[in-house]
Amino acid sequence: MKQEILGLQFDNVSMEEALAIGEGFLDGDKAAVVVTPNAEIGYDAAKDAEFCALLNRADLILPDGAGVVLAAKLRKTPLKGKVAGIDFARNMLSVFARRGTKLYLLGSKPGVAEQAAEKMRELAPGLVICGTADGYFKDEASVVERINAAGAEALFVCLGAPKQEKFMFAHQKEMPSVRLMAGLGGSLDGFAGNVKRAPDWMIKANLEWFYRLCKEPSRIGRMMRLPKYLIKATRNRQ
Ligand code: UDP
């Protein structure tokens, strides 16, 4: 079931349901696209109809973050809960490992995807990572060629928004072996350990944003989109 917030059609799913849908994509006949908008991206999408339409083309739109969940609650159309992109990705690793699905990692600065791959293999023993590439390339076609040559079946695209969404939709039909691709922002940095996540109690208390702000005060500009998103979401309630 879909839950609309400021034009974005979120899928109202629990983590378990998201994983089942993700696994279903692996048995499909096309490269399904998963996007993981948080409140900041939701705010950008509310102001940019083209970006919003692009996100809505995705096969699965996960509510990444407490901000989106709170906005839904304030609109009195609550979502089942947060399904953070990085948590979805981590859980999917076990699915890939169990099925022998070949995963390709694209994005972040040179070296990060390799570090992330190492951590992912520890998290999901048996996981097959068939290739990695950093996210600072000039020629998209040669990246697509590398993904295809590796026989990737799943692809994590971590280029930040909206670059990753544009990449996925531009090349969706040019990757015949890919069945699932997910736009996951800075998740490879997270797996590599370059960006530490907040302590568990803070995540549970929906305070991860505060932890990130303390670590990187320069994020204040982009974080101001969160309260703006909440106000806009509450005002634009049908
Ligand atoms: N990135 C990239 N190529 C680019 C721009 C960014 O690979 O041309 C990477 C960057 O290194 C970082 C991620 O994309 O790992 C963006 O992370 P951020 O947390 O900003 O993602 P967002 O919050 O936009 O989803």
Side-chain angles (χ1 to χ4, degrees):
M1 205 187 67
K2 292 282 188 181
Q3 193 73 274
E4 185 264 348
I5 304 176
L6 297 177
L8 261 190
Q9 301 286 346
F10 285 95
D11 283 282
N12 186 12
V13 289
S14 64
M15 175 62 80
E16 287 67 31
E17 289 164 338
L19 293 172
I21 293 169
E23 182 161 6
F25 290 156
L26 299 175
D27 295 320
D29 54 3
K30 63 163 190 173
V33 174
V34 181
V35 294
T36 61
N38 58 15
E40 294 164 2
I41 292 168
Y43 185 71
D44 290 346
K47 298 196 135 200
D48 179 346
E50 214 175 300
F51 181 39
C52 187
L54 193 69
L55 287 165
N56 280 335
R57 277 174 59 191
D59 300 279
L60 184 61
I61 307 186
L62 297 176
D64 175 306
V68 176
V69 174
L70 180 57
K73 198 172 167 187
L74 292 171
R75 289 165 69 84
K76 302 200 168 27
T77 51
L79 287 160
K80 287 182 184 169
K82 168 175 87 172
V83 185
I86 190 165
D87 296 330
F88 172 75
R90 190 185 322 95
N91 289 326
M92 281 306 292
L93 296 179
S94 314
V95 176
F96 299 151
R98 166 163 54 76
R99 297 175 58 116
T101 304
K102 290 191 209 165
L103 172 65
Y104 196 101
L105 306 178
L106 170 64
S108 294
K109 299 205 175 94
V112 175
E114 289 78 1
Q115 277 175 282
E118 216 167 286
K119 292 278 163 58
M120 287 175 176
R121 286 194 204 98
E122 283 169 25
L123 288 169
L127 176 68
V128 183
I129 294 182
C130 63
T132 57
D134 71 72
Y136 295 86
F137 46 83
K138 291 214 171 64
D139 178 22
E140 294 197 0
S142 67
V143 175
V144 173
E145 241 169 66
R146 284 172 66 181
I147 293 166
N148 287 338
E153 293 160 323
L155 176 64
F156 286 172
V157 187
C158 305
L159 308 171
K163 196 173 172 184
Q164 60 200 15
E165 287 78 18
K166 287 183 178 160
F167 180 93
M168 289 192 287
F169 286 111
H171 303 293
Q172 188 182 20
K173 299 212 165 82
E174 299 163 8
M175 295 189 270
S177 57
V178 174
R179 290 291 169 269
L180 180 158
M181 49 182 156
L184 296 166
S187 296
L188 292 182
D189 296 307
F191 280 110
N194 296 344
V195 179
K196 288 236 169 337
R197 285 197 78 185
D200 271 354
W201 69 268
M202 280 188 115
I203 295 178
K204 285 200 188 100
N206 288 331
L207 286 173
E208 189 163 20
W209 62 273
F210 183 65
Y211 178 86
R212 290 188 80 178
L213 181 60
C214 293
K215 287 270 173 190
E216 291 175 72
S218 61
R219 292 178 70 94
I220 188 71
R222 36 186 298 188
M223 279 197 168
M224 282 312 290
R225 286 181 285 173
L226 172 64
K228 288 183 192 164
Y229 177 73
L230 293 176
I231 292 165
K232 207 170 164 62
T234 316
R235 281 207 189 124
N236 288 290
R237 191 152 45 100
Q238 285 103 6

